[in-house]
Amino acid sequence: MASEDLTVRINGVSSHLDSGAAANTSLSVFYQGFHLLVDAGNGVEESIKKGGASSGKYLPDAILITHARRHHISDLPALTKENAKVYCTSECGQQIARQLTSLSTSASSSSSMPPSSSSSFTPINPGTPFEVGPFSVIPIAADNS
């Protein structure tokens, strides 16, 4: 694969492959040597590690979290150890800080995003496009109840 090729990979585990396991999937998008990971549920780290075994690099450069339910964030601490930037709404960041205390070294009431010793959280707003690596992303508000 040439470095300018766009590659999309589905990561994770499926409930039909391992009886009793929850289905936790994510999406890796690779372009120009940049790895954008969308969501980071349980089993995603192991899945992308297997997928990146041949290149030796599997950790993402940036992680986009769609919402803070456990099945979308549980592997986040392991995947941010190389200082990957995490993109999510401020509300999502606050929920992550409450659920994954290992990412919050000291909660600050003045900040809407969780502080972290291993990654930086960047707030995004629905309807406001932003750039991450070579990608332009337009977040859209959706109800995921």
Side-chain angles (χ1 to χ4, degrees):
M1 170 175 75
S3 65
E4 64 276 353
D5 289 343
L6 174 69
T7 303
V8 177
R9 184 179 66 215
I10 306 296
N11 310 302
V13 296
S14 177
S15 58
H16 75 277
L17 296 177
D18 182 13
S19 61
N24 294 303
T25 59
S26 72
L27 182 72
S28 284
V29 185
F30 301 91
Y31 186 63
Q32 298 177 343
F34 192 89
H35 178 190
L36 173 63
L37 178 67
V38 180
D39 290 328
N42 188 38
V44 169
E45 180 206 11
E46 187 61 32
S47 178
I48 65 172
K49 190 183 291 186
K50 287 178 186 174
S54 61
S55 67
K57 180 186 184 292
Y58 75 94
L59 291 172
D61 298 294
I63 303 170
L64 175 61
I65 301 296
T66 59
H67 64 281
R69 289 198 183 148
R70 196 73 166 166
H71 64 278
H72 284 255
I73 65 168
S74 59
D75 277 3
L76 197 54
L79 292 166
T80 58
K81 56 188 166 191
E82 295 285 325
N83 294 321
K85 276 194 154 184
V86 178
Y87 294 83
C88 60
T89 64
S90 293
E91 178 185 8
C92 178
Q94 291 168 357
Q95 292 168 355
I96 290 170
R98 286 191 297 271
Q99 293 182 57
L100 301 176
T101 55
S102 64
L103 287 178
S104 296
T105 54
S106 60
S108 166
S109 59
S110 63
S111 173
S112 61
M113 297 301 284
S116 172
S117 59
S118 62
S119 66
S120 62
F121 280 74
T122 301
I124 62 173
N125 297 305
T128 303
F130 67 96
E131 304 293 320
V132 54
F135 302 104
S136 179
V137 179
I138 303 171
I140 305 297
D143 182 12
N144 190 19
S145 46

